[in-house]
Amino acid sequence: MSESRAERGDRIAPSQLVHALGGGRVTPARLTIAEVASGQSHAFTIEQLALGVRKANPRIGLATVYRTVAALVSTGFLDQVGERSGAALYFRCAEGGHHHHLVCTTCGAVSTAPCPARDTVASAESAGYLVTGHDVRIWGVCPACRRTGGD
Amino acid sequence: MSESRAERGDRIAPSQLVHALGGGRVTPARLTIAEVASGQSHAFTIEQLALGVRKANPRIGLATVYRTVAALVSTGFLDQVGERSGAALYFRCAEGGHHHHLVCTTCGAVSTAPCPARDTVASAESAGYLVTGHDVRIWGVCPACRRTGGD
DNA sequence: TTTACTGCAAACAATTTGCACTGCA
DNA sequence: TGCAGTGCAAATTGTTTGCAGTAAA
């Protein structure tokens, strides 16, 4: 597992953040949300994200976080990489190309995995299906959490 | 796509239903729920299942349906094969062995697909992950729904 | 100036839970 | 007979929405 963006101290360029909003208006709240989201090193829930957002600006409401995350997902800036006890898990995956995610159920660390479903999709299509989407999710305990005994 | 159990008129043997409850008590309500669930030819939500269950016995409550479905999933009698607008989709898949599902987003028809994730899981494990689970879901429009234009 | 975005609170919907009762084992 | 299962209703919880105010374009 390589180091995360946040651990390396990377920052997202303002122009990238603007692009992430896909033509929508660029407001302080949206910039804050996109910035906090992209700074996460692990998969996060909306609630966790909102916590970080409020640290930067306590006036930003939960509804705005939901709405902005939806916008960021629709532009591909964020991915929904799973869920944890009913709440959706998101992550900013800088990796390009089609791939899937492996999420550590203990710490939320995210790794990427190439898509293994191509053949399956192809055979479904040859059977007459119009395949409109697919999802491959793998979860487990990452090497670091295994070493520390699961917490 | 082959015909479903329900279309062929199959019925589940009482002993199978008992086994589906995994050692739990066998009550009329649970038998009804398991029977109605196994009679479905397409993926169904709890609400749809409850509708059918109430047709057989209007006194069976929604909570019992939820609790019984949870029991049936834990014994493997039912599979959660996806979700539709926030609600979980279930299906009784008689097929043995490890596999995944293809669900028609129009009618809920379910087909099985072999697991394409073996290699991905193996490589995650060789990278130090303890893989505890995975899920492959493919959705689209089945041949029948394509022919009829989507409804 | 226009209207998308915001914050708040209320609404929503799926699911879970508490509790007293019932009936299976 | 004991306790798992049941039905009902209330509670929970993640998420969405209505609305009036604000500010980006």
Side-chain angles (χ1 to χ4, degrees), chain A residues 73-108:
Chain A
V73 167
S74 78
T75 63
F77 184 79
L78 289 182
D79 289 317
Q80 196 191 322
V81 295
E83 53 190 59
R84 188 159 58 213
S85 53
L89 280 177
Y90 298 91
F91 187 64
R92 158 137 179 79
C93 182
E95 202 124 335
H98 176 62
H99 62 273
H100 298 282
H101 298 99
L102 231 145
V103 182
C104 175
T105 50
T106 300
C107 72

PDB file of all heavy atoms in Angstrom, chain A residues 73-108:
ATOM      1  N   VAL A  73     -19.426  13.486  -6.854  1.00  0.00           N
ATOM      2  CA  VAL A  73     -19.495  12.117  -7.357  1.00  0.00           C
ATOM      3  C   VAL A  73     -19.888  12.135  -8.836  1.00  0.00           C
ATOM      4  O   VAL A  73     -19.339  11.387  -9.640  1.00  0.00           O
ATOM      5  CB  VAL A  73     -20.499  11.274  -6.542  1.00  0.00           C
ATOM      6  CG1 VAL A  73     -20.819   9.955  -7.247  1.00  0.00           C
ATOM      7  CG2 VAL A  73     -19.939  10.998  -5.148  1.00  0.00           C
ATOM      8  N   SER A  74     -20.790  13.045  -9.171  1.00  0.00           N
ATOM      9  CA  SER A  74     -21.273  13.049 -10.557  1.00  0.00           C
ATOM     10  C   SER A  74     -20.183  13.516 -11.527  1.00  0.00           C
ATOM     11  O   SER A  74     -20.226  13.193 -12.705  1.00  0.00           O
ATOM     12  CB  SER A  74     -22.523  13.908 -10.691  1.00  0.00           C
ATOM     13  OG  SER A  74     -22.166  15.274 -10.710  1.00  0.00           O
ATOM     14  N   THR A  75     -19.230  14.276 -11.051  1.00  0.00           N
ATOM     15  CA  THR A  75     -18.124  14.663 -11.937  1.00  0.00           C
ATOM     16  C   THR A  75     -16.981  13.659 -11.869  1.00  0.00           C
ATOM     17  O   THR A  75     -15.995  13.786 -12.585  1.00  0.00           O
ATOM     18  CB  THR A  75     -17.542  16.036 -11.549  1.00  0.00           C
ATOM     19  OG1 THR A  75     -16.988  15.950 -10.232  1.00  0.00           O
ATOM     20  CG2 THR A  75     -18.593  17.118 -11.574  1.00  0.00           C
ATOM     21  N   GLY A  76     -17.106  12.683 -10.989  1.00  0.00           N
ATOM     22  CA  GLY A  76     -16.047  11.685 -10.885  1.00  0.00           C
ATOM     23  C   GLY A  76     -14.923  12.092  -9.943  1.00  0.00           C
ATOM     24  O   GLY A  76     -13.934  11.379  -9.793  1.00  0.00           O
ATOM     25  N   PHE A  77     -15.076  13.256  -9.309  1.00  0.00           N
ATOM     26  CA  PHE A  77     -14.040  13.706  -8.375  1.00  0.00           C
ATOM     27  C   PHE A  77     -14.000  12.785  -7.164  1.00  0.00           C
ATOM     28  O   PHE A  77     -12.931  12.490  -6.628  1.00  0.00           O
ATOM     29  CB  PHE A  77     -14.334  15.141  -7.937  1.00  0.00           C
ATOM     30  CG  PHE A  77     -13.284  15.745  -7.046  1.00  0.00           C
ATOM     31  CD1 PHE A  77     -12.096  16.235  -7.581  1.00  0.00           C
ATOM     32  CD2 PHE A  77     -13.492  15.850  -5.680  1.00  0.00           C
ATOM     33  CE1 PHE A  77     -11.130  16.806  -6.757  1.00  0.00           C
ATOM     34  CE2 PHE A  77     -12.530  16.423  -4.845  1.00  0.00           C
ATOM     35  CZ  PHE A  77     -11.348  16.902  -5.387  1.00  0.00           C
ATOM     36  N   LEU A  78     -15.178  12.328  -6.736  1.00  0.00           N
ATOM     37  CA  LEU A  78     -15.255  11.359  -5.641  1.00  0.00           C
ATOM     38  C   LEU A  78     -15.862  10.058  -6.155  1.00  0.00           C
ATOM     39  O   LEU A  78     -16.623  10.062  -7.120  1.00  0.00           O
ATOM     40  CB  LEU A  78     -16.131  11.892  -4.499  1.00  0.00           C
ATOM     41  CG  LEU A  78     -15.599  13.035  -3.652  1.00  0.00           C
ATOM     42  CD1 LEU A  78     -16.605  13.378  -2.547  1.00  0.00           C
ATOM     43  CD2 LEU A  78     -14.245  12.684  -3.042  1.00  0.00           C
ATOM     44  N   ASP A  79     -15.516   8.963  -5.486  1.00  0.00           N
ATOM     45  CA  ASP A  79     -16.138   7.680  -5.770  1.00  0.00           C
ATOM     46  C   ASP A  79     -16.824   7.177  -4.512  1.00  0.00           C
ATOM     47  O   ASP A  79     -16.313   7.387  -3.405  1.00  0.00           O
ATOM     48  CB  ASP A  79     -15.081   6.641  -6.157  1.00  0.00           C
ATOM     49  CG  ASP A  79     -14.497   6.914  -7.528  1.00  0.00           C
ATOM     50  OD1 ASP A  79     -15.282   7.235  -8.431  1.00  0.00           O
ATOM     51  OD2 ASP A  79     -13.260   6.840  -7.669  1.00  0.00           O
ATOM     52  N   GLN A  80     -17.939   6.514  -4.717  1.00  0.00           N
ATOM     53  CA  GLN A  80     -18.515   5.800  -3.584  1.00  0.00           C
ATOM     54  C   GLN A  80     -17.864   4.435  -3.572  1.00  0.00           C
ATOM     55  O   GLN A  80     -17.959   3.664  -4.524  1.00  0.00           O
ATOM     56  CB  GLN A  80     -20.042   5.679  -3.719  1.00  0.00           C
ATOM     57  CG  GLN A  80     -20.673   5.293  -2.382  1.00  0.00           C
ATOM     58  CD  GLN A  80     -22.125   4.906  -2.492  1.00  0.00           C
ATOM     59  OE1 GLN A  80     -22.861   5.509  -3.257  1.00  0.00           O
ATOM     60  NE2 GLN A  80     -22.532   3.895  -1.737  1.00  0.00           N
ATOM     61  N   VAL A  81     -17.166   4.134  -2.501  1.00  0.00           N
ATOM     62  CA  VAL A  81     -16.349   2.916  -2.500  1.00  0.00           C
ATOM     63  C   VAL A  81     -16.886   1.836  -1.579  1.00  0.00           C
ATOM     64  O   VAL A  81     -16.213   0.834  -1.347  1.00  0.00           O
ATOM     65  CB  VAL A  81     -14.888   3.233  -2.097  1.00  0.00           C
ATOM     66  CG1 VAL A  81     -14.231   4.124  -3.131  1.00  0.00           C
ATOM     67  CG2 VAL A  81     -14.834   3.871  -0.717  1.00  0.00           C
ATOM     68  N   GLY A  82     -18.074   2.016  -1.073  1.00  0.00           N
ATOM     69  CA  GLY A  82     -18.647   0.983  -0.212  1.00  0.00           C
ATOM     70  C   GLY A  82     -19.599   1.607   0.768  1.00  0.00           C
ATOM     71  O   GLY A  82     -20.101   2.714   0.561  1.00  0.00           O
ATOM     72  N   GLU A  83     -19.860   0.898   1.825  1.00  0.00           N
ATOM     73  CA  GLU A  83     -20.692   1.456   2.874  1.00  0.00           C
ATOM     74  C   GLU A  83     -20.319   0.826   4.202  1.00  0.00           C
ATOM     75  O   GLU A  83     -19.723  -0.250   4.249  1.00  0.00           O
ATOM     76  CB  GLU A  83     -22.162   1.246   2.573  1.00  0.00           C
ATOM     77  CG  GLU A  83     -22.548  -0.178   2.280  1.00  0.00           C
ATOM     78  CD  GLU A  83     -23.984  -0.220   1.752  1.00  0.00           C
ATOM     79  OE1 GLU A  83     -24.251   0.424   0.704  1.00  0.00           O
ATOM     80  OE2 GLU A  83     -24.811  -0.864   2.390  1.00  0.00           O
ATOM     81  N   ARG A  84     -20.641   1.527   5.259  1.00  0.00           N
ATOM     82  CA  ARG A  84     -20.318   1.040   6.595  1.00  0.00           C
ATOM     83  C   ARG A  84     -21.544   1.260   7.460  1.00  0.00           C
ATOM     84  O   ARG A  84     -21.969   2.397   7.643  1.00  0.00           O
ATOM     85  CB  ARG A  84     -19.115   1.794   7.147  1.00  0.00           C
ATOM     86  CG  ARG A  84     -18.598   1.223   8.457  1.00  0.00           C
ATOM     87  CD  ARG A  84     -17.144   1.649   8.708  1.00  0.00           C
ATOM     88  NE  ARG A  84     -16.967   3.091   8.744  1.00  0.00           N
ATOM     89  CZ  ARG A  84     -15.869   3.720   8.322  1.00  0.00           C
ATOM     90  NH1 ARG A  84     -14.865   3.037   7.819  1.00  0.00           N
ATOM     91  NH2 ARG A  84     -15.775   5.023   8.404  1.00  0.00           N
ATOM     92  N   SER A  85     -22.120   0.192   7.918  1.00  0.00           N
ATOM     93  CA  SER A  85     -23.343   0.211   8.722  1.00  0.00           C
ATOM     94  C   SER A  85     -24.381   1.181   8.164  1.00  0.00           C
ATOM     95  O   SER A  85     -24.843   2.084   8.853  1.00  0.00           O
ATOM     96  CB  SER A  85     -23.029   0.516  10.188  1.00  0.00           C
ATOM     97  OG  SER A  85     -22.263   1.690  10.332  1.00  0.00           O
ATOM     98  N   GLY A  86     -24.700   0.974   6.925  1.00  0.00           N
ATOM     99  CA  GLY A  86     -25.786   1.723   6.328  1.00  0.00           C
ATOM    100  C   GLY A  86     -25.410   3.071   5.739  1.00  0.00           C
ATOM    101  O   GLY A  86     -26.182   3.662   5.003  1.00  0.00           O
ATOM    102  N   ALA A  87     -24.225   3.571   6.078  1.00  0.00           N
ATOM    103  CA  ALA A  87     -23.818   4.873   5.564  1.00  0.00           C
ATOM    104  C   ALA A  87     -22.842   4.694   4.408  1.00  0.00           C
ATOM    105  O   ALA A  87     -21.944   3.850   4.465  1.00  0.00           O
ATOM    106  CB  ALA A  87     -23.164   5.693   6.673  1.00  0.00           C
ATOM    107  N   ALA A  88     -23.019   5.481   3.376  1.00  0.00           N
ATOM    108  CA  ALA A  88     -22.157   5.371   2.201  1.00  0.00           C
ATOM    109  C   ALA A  88     -20.739   5.814   2.534  1.00  0.00           C
ATOM    110  O   ALA A  88     -20.531   6.739   3.310  1.00  0.00           O
ATOM    111  CB  ALA A  88     -22.715   6.210   1.060  1.00  0.00           C
ATOM    112  N   LEU A  89     -19.762   5.118   1.924  1.00  0.00           N
ATOM    113  CA  LEU A  89     -18.352   5.463   2.090  1.00  0.00           C
ATOM    114  C   LEU A  89     -17.841   6.079   0.794  1.00  0.00           C
ATOM    115  O   LEU A  89     -18.064   5.528  -0.283  1.00  0.00           O
ATOM    116  CB  LEU A  89     -17.525   4.217   2.386  1.00  0.00           C
ATOM    117  CG  LEU A  89     -17.505   3.672   3.800  1.00  0.00           C
ATOM    118  CD1 LEU A  89     -16.671   2.391   3.847  1.00  0.00           C
ATOM    119  CD2 LEU A  89     -16.939   4.717   4.760  1.00  0.00           C
ATOM    120  N   TYR A  90     -17.144   7.209   0.926  1.00  0.00           N
ATOM    121  CA  TYR A  90     -16.620   7.885  -0.255  1.00  0.00           C
ATOM    122  C   TYR A  90     -15.108   7.973  -0.176  1.00  0.00           C
ATOM    123  O   TYR A  90     -14.510   7.867   0.889  1.00  0.00           O
ATOM    124  CB  TYR A  90     -17.208   9.292  -0.365  1.00  0.00           C
ATOM    125  CG  TYR A  90     -18.708   9.296  -0.525  1.00  0.00           C
ATOM    126  CD1 TYR A  90     -19.544   9.367   0.586  1.00  0.00           C
ATOM    127  CD2 TYR A  90     -19.287   9.216  -1.787  1.00  0.00           C
ATOM    128  CE1 TYR A  90     -20.919   9.350   0.442  1.00  0.00           C
ATOM    129  CE2 TYR A  90     -20.673   9.202  -1.936  1.00  0.00           C
ATOM    130  CZ  TYR A  90     -21.474   9.275  -0.818  1.00  0.00           C
ATOM    131  OH  TYR A  90     -22.832   9.255  -0.952  1.00  0.00           O
ATOM    132  N   PHE A  91     -14.532   8.209  -1.343  1.00  0.00           N
ATOM    133  CA  PHE A  91     -13.094   8.391  -1.371  1.00  0.00           C
ATOM    134  C   PHE A  91     -12.728   9.121  -2.651  1.00  0.00           C
ATOM    135  O   PHE A  91     -13.338   8.910  -3.692  1.00  0.00           O
ATOM    136  CB  PHE A  91     -12.380   7.038  -1.323  1.00  0.00           C
ATOM    137  CG  PHE A  91     -10.890   7.159  -1.177  1.00  0.00           C
ATOM    138  CD1 PHE A  91     -10.331   7.717  -0.033  1.00  0.00           C
ATOM    139  CD2 PHE A  91     -10.048   6.727  -2.195  1.00  0.00           C
ATOM    140  CE1 PHE A  91      -8.944   7.832   0.101  1.00  0.00           C
ATOM    141  CE2 PHE A  91      -8.666   6.841  -2.057  1.00  0.00           C
ATOM    142  CZ  PHE A  91      -8.127   7.395  -0.914  1.00  0.00           C
ATOM    143  N   ARG A  92     -11.739   9.989  -2.551  1.00  0.00           N
ATOM    144  CA  ARG A  92     -11.227  10.623  -3.752  1.00  0.00           C
ATOM    145  C   ARG A  92     -10.099   9.762  -4.273  1.00  0.00           C
ATOM    146  O   ARG A  92      -9.029   9.659  -3.669  1.00  0.00           O
ATOM    147  CB  ARG A  92     -10.697  12.015  -3.455  1.00  0.00           C
ATOM    148  CG  ARG A  92      -9.703  12.499  -4.502  1.00  0.00           C
ATOM    149  CD  ARG A  92      -9.922  13.920  -4.901  1.00  0.00           C
ATOM    150  NE  ARG A  92      -8.934  14.357  -5.898  1.00  0.00           N
ATOM    151  CZ  ARG A  92      -9.021  14.061  -7.194  1.00  0.00           C
ATOM    152  NH1 ARG A  92     -10.007  13.326  -7.652  1.00  0.00           N
ATOM    153  NH2 ARG A  92      -8.106  14.493  -8.030  1.00  0.00           N
ATOM    154  N   CYS A  93     -10.352   9.133  -5.403  1.00  0.00           N
ATOM    155  CA  CYS A  93      -9.350   8.263  -5.998  1.00  0.00           C
ATOM    156  C   CYS A  93      -8.748   8.979  -7.194  1.00  0.00           C
ATOM    157  O   CYS A  93      -9.429   9.223  -8.185  1.00  0.00           O
ATOM    158  CB  CYS A  93      -9.995   6.952  -6.429  1.00  0.00           C
ATOM    159  SG  CYS A  93      -8.801   5.811  -7.109  1.00  0.00           S
ATOM    160  N   ALA A  94      -7.483   9.323  -7.071  1.00  0.00           N
ATOM    161  CA  ALA A  94      -6.846  10.100  -8.127  1.00  0.00           C
ATOM    162  C   ALA A  94      -6.504   9.229  -9.332  1.00  0.00           C
ATOM    163  O   ALA A  94      -6.243   9.723 -10.422  1.00  0.00           O
ATOM    164  CB  ALA A  94      -5.581  10.776  -7.593  1.00  0.00           C
ATOM    165  N   GLU A  95      -6.516   7.937  -9.112  1.00  0.00           N
ATOM    166  CA  GLU A  95      -6.156   6.997 -10.178  1.00  0.00           C
ATOM    167  C   GLU A  95      -7.089   7.138 -11.389  1.00  0.00           C
ATOM    168  O   GLU A  95      -8.296   7.244 -11.237  1.00  0.00           O
ATOM    169  CB  GLU A  95      -6.277   5.571  -9.636  1.00  0.00           C
ATOM    170  CG  GLU A  95      -5.455   4.568 -10.406  1.00  0.00           C
ATOM    171  CD  GLU A  95      -4.512   3.858  -9.444  1.00  0.00           C
ATOM    172  OE1 GLU A  95      -4.177   4.437  -8.388  1.00  0.00           O
ATOM    173  OE2 GLU A  95      -4.107   2.744  -9.749  1.00  0.00           O
ATOM    174  N   GLY A  96      -6.508   7.094 -12.572  1.00  0.00           N
ATOM    175  CA  GLY A  96      -7.343   7.173 -13.769  1.00  0.00           C
ATOM    176  C   GLY A  96      -7.743   5.790 -14.251  1.00  0.00           C
ATOM    177  O   GLY A  96      -7.285   4.783 -13.717  1.00  0.00           O
ATOM    178  N   GLY A  97      -8.565   5.742 -15.245  1.00  0.00           N
ATOM    179  CA  GLY A  97      -8.955   4.458 -15.833  1.00  0.00           C
ATOM    180  C   GLY A  97      -9.989   3.740 -14.999  1.00  0.00           C
ATOM    181  O   GLY A  97     -10.234   4.087 -13.853  1.00  0.00           O
ATOM    182  N   HIS A  98     -10.572   2.724 -15.605  1.00  0.00           N
ATOM    183  CA  HIS A  98     -11.619   1.966 -14.921  1.00  0.00           C
ATOM    184  C   HIS A  98     -11.008   0.959 -13.955  1.00  0.00           C
ATOM    185  O   HIS A  98     -10.168   0.162 -14.332  1.00  0.00           O
ATOM    186  CB  HIS A  98     -12.470   1.245 -15.960  1.00  0.00           C
ATOM    187  CG  HIS A  98     -13.511   0.380 -15.356  1.00  0.00           C
ATOM    188  ND1 HIS A  98     -14.528   0.868 -14.573  1.00  0.00           N
ATOM    189  CD2 HIS A  98     -13.679  -0.960 -15.387  1.00  0.00           C
ATOM    190  CE1 HIS A  98     -15.273  -0.126 -14.166  1.00  0.00           C
ATOM    191  NE2 HIS A  98     -14.791  -1.253 -14.649  1.00  0.00           N
ATOM    192  N   HIS A  99     -11.434   1.041 -12.716  1.00  0.00           N
ATOM    193  CA  HIS A  99     -10.906   0.100 -11.728  1.00  0.00           C
ATOM    194  C   HIS A  99     -11.878   0.016 -10.560  1.00  0.00           C
ATOM    195  O   HIS A  99     -12.904   0.691 -10.545  1.00  0.00           O
ATOM    196  CB  HIS A  99      -9.532   0.564 -11.245  1.00  0.00           C
ATOM    197  CG  HIS A  99      -9.578   1.904 -10.569  1.00  0.00           C
ATOM    198  ND1 HIS A  99      -9.470   3.086 -11.260  1.00  0.00           N
ATOM    199  CD2 HIS A  99      -9.761   2.246  -9.277  1.00  0.00           C
ATOM    200  CE1 HIS A  99      -9.570   4.095 -10.412  1.00  0.00           C
ATOM    201  NE2 HIS A  99      -9.760   3.617  -9.203  1.00  0.00           N
ATOM    202  N   HIS A 100     -11.543  -0.790  -9.592  1.00  0.00           N
ATOM    203  CA  HIS A 100     -12.413  -0.934  -8.423  1.00  0.00           C
ATOM    204  C   HIS A 100     -11.602  -0.751  -7.147  1.00  0.00           C
ATOM    205  O   HIS A 100     -10.410  -0.461  -7.216  1.00  0.00           O
ATOM    206  CB  HIS A 100     -13.121  -2.285  -8.465  1.00  0.00           C
ATOM    207  CG  HIS A 100     -14.001  -2.412  -9.663  1.00  0.00           C
ATOM    208  ND1 HIS A 100     -15.241  -1.827  -9.734  1.00  0.00           N
ATOM    209  CD2 HIS A 100     -13.813  -3.023 -10.866  1.00  0.00           C
ATOM    210  CE1 HIS A 100     -15.779  -2.086 -10.914  1.00  0.00           C
ATOM    211  NE2 HIS A 100     -14.937  -2.804 -11.628  1.00  0.00           N
ATOM    212  N   HIS A 101     -12.289  -0.928  -6.018  1.00  0.00           N
ATOM    213  CA  HIS A 101     -11.617  -0.620  -4.761  1.00  0.00           C
ATOM    214  C   HIS A 101     -11.679  -1.742  -3.736  1.00  0.00           C
ATOM    215  O   HIS A 101     -12.626  -2.515  -3.689  1.00  0.00           O
ATOM    216  CB  HIS A 101     -12.204   0.663  -4.161  1.00  0.00           C
ATOM    217  CG  HIS A 101     -11.994   1.848  -5.035  1.00  0.00           C
ATOM    218  ND1 HIS A 101     -12.971   2.338  -5.874  1.00  0.00           N
ATOM    219  CD2 HIS A 101     -10.901   2.615  -5.255  1.00  0.00           C
ATOM    220  CE1 HIS A 101     -12.495   3.372  -6.548  1.00  0.00           C
ATOM    221  NE2 HIS A 101     -11.243   3.558  -6.198  1.00  0.00           N
ATOM    222  N   LEU A 102     -10.678  -1.737  -2.938  1.00  0.00           N
ATOM    223  CA  LEU A 102     -10.513  -2.656  -1.834  1.00  0.00           C
ATOM    224  C   LEU A 102     -10.501  -1.770  -0.599  1.00  0.00           C
ATOM    225  O   LEU A 102      -9.668  -0.871  -0.484  1.00  0.00           O
ATOM    226  CB  LEU A 102      -9.102  -3.219  -1.968  1.00  0.00           C
ATOM    227  CG  LEU A 102      -8.810  -4.695  -1.941  1.00  0.00           C
ATOM    228  CD1 LEU A 102      -7.659  -4.913  -2.907  1.00  0.00           C
ATOM    229  CD2 LEU A 102      -8.419  -5.151  -0.584  1.00  0.00           C
ATOM    230  N   VAL A 103     -11.429  -1.980   0.282  1.00  0.00           N
ATOM    231  CA  VAL A 103     -11.535  -1.088   1.435  1.00  0.00           C
ATOM    232  C   VAL A 103     -11.288  -1.862   2.722  1.00  0.00           C
ATOM    233  O   VAL A 103     -11.885  -2.913   2.943  1.00  0.00           O
ATOM    234  CB  VAL A 103     -12.915  -0.414   1.492  1.00  0.00           C
ATOM    235  CG1 VAL A 103     -13.002   0.544   2.660  1.00  0.00           C
ATOM    236  CG2 VAL A 103     -13.197   0.317   0.182  1.00  0.00           C
ATOM    237  N   CYS A 104     -10.418  -1.341   3.543  1.00  0.00           N
ATOM    238  CA  CYS A 104     -10.141  -1.967   4.839  1.00  0.00           C
ATOM    239  C   CYS A 104     -11.315  -1.680   5.774  1.00  0.00           C
ATOM    240  O   CYS A 104     -11.671  -0.531   6.013  1.00  0.00           O
ATOM    241  CB  CYS A 104      -8.852  -1.436   5.445  1.00  0.00           C
ATOM    242  SG  CYS A 104      -8.546  -2.090   7.109  1.00  0.00           S
ATOM    243  N   THR A 105     -11.909  -2.749   6.297  1.00  0.00           N
ATOM    244  CA  THR A 105     -13.078  -2.567   7.157  1.00  0.00           C
ATOM    245  C   THR A 105     -12.696  -2.027   8.527  1.00  0.00           C
ATOM    246  O   THR A 105     -13.561  -1.608   9.292  1.00  0.00           O
ATOM    247  CB  THR A 105     -13.829  -3.905   7.345  1.00  0.00           C
ATOM    248  OG1 THR A 105     -12.890  -4.909   7.718  1.00  0.00           O
ATOM    249  CG2 THR A 105     -14.514  -4.320   6.064  1.00  0.00           C
ATOM    250  N   THR A 106     -11.420  -2.057   8.831  1.00  0.00           N
ATOM    251  CA  THR A 106     -10.984  -1.570  10.132  1.00  0.00           C
ATOM    252  C   THR A 106     -10.657  -0.081  10.098  1.00  0.00           C
ATOM    253  O   THR A 106     -11.162   0.686  10.912  1.00  0.00           O
ATOM    254  CB  THR A 106      -9.762  -2.366  10.610  1.00  0.00           C
ATOM    255  OG1 THR A 106     -10.126  -3.738  10.719  1.00  0.00           O
ATOM    256  CG2 THR A 106      -9.286  -1.862  11.964  1.00  0.00           C
ATOM    257  N   CYS A 107      -9.825   0.309   9.144  1.00  0.00           N
ATOM    258  CA  CYS A 107      -9.375   1.710   9.136  1.00  0.00           C
ATOM    259  C   CYS A 107      -9.874   2.497   7.935  1.00  0.00           C
ATOM    260  O   CYS A 107      -9.723   3.708   7.881  1.00  0.00           O
ATOM    261  CB  CYS A 107      -7.848   1.775   9.195  1.00  0.00           C
ATOM    262  SG  CYS A 107      -7.034   1.278   7.661  1.00  0.00           S
ATOM    263  N   GLY A 108     -10.459   1.821   6.960  1.00  0.00           N
ATOM    264  CA  GLY A 108     -10.952   2.543   5.799  1.00  0.00           C
ATOM    265  C   GLY A 108      -9.921   2.797   4.717  1.00  0.00           C
ATOM    266  O   GLY A 108     -10.200   3.475   3.734  1.00  0.00           O
TER     267      GLY A 108
END
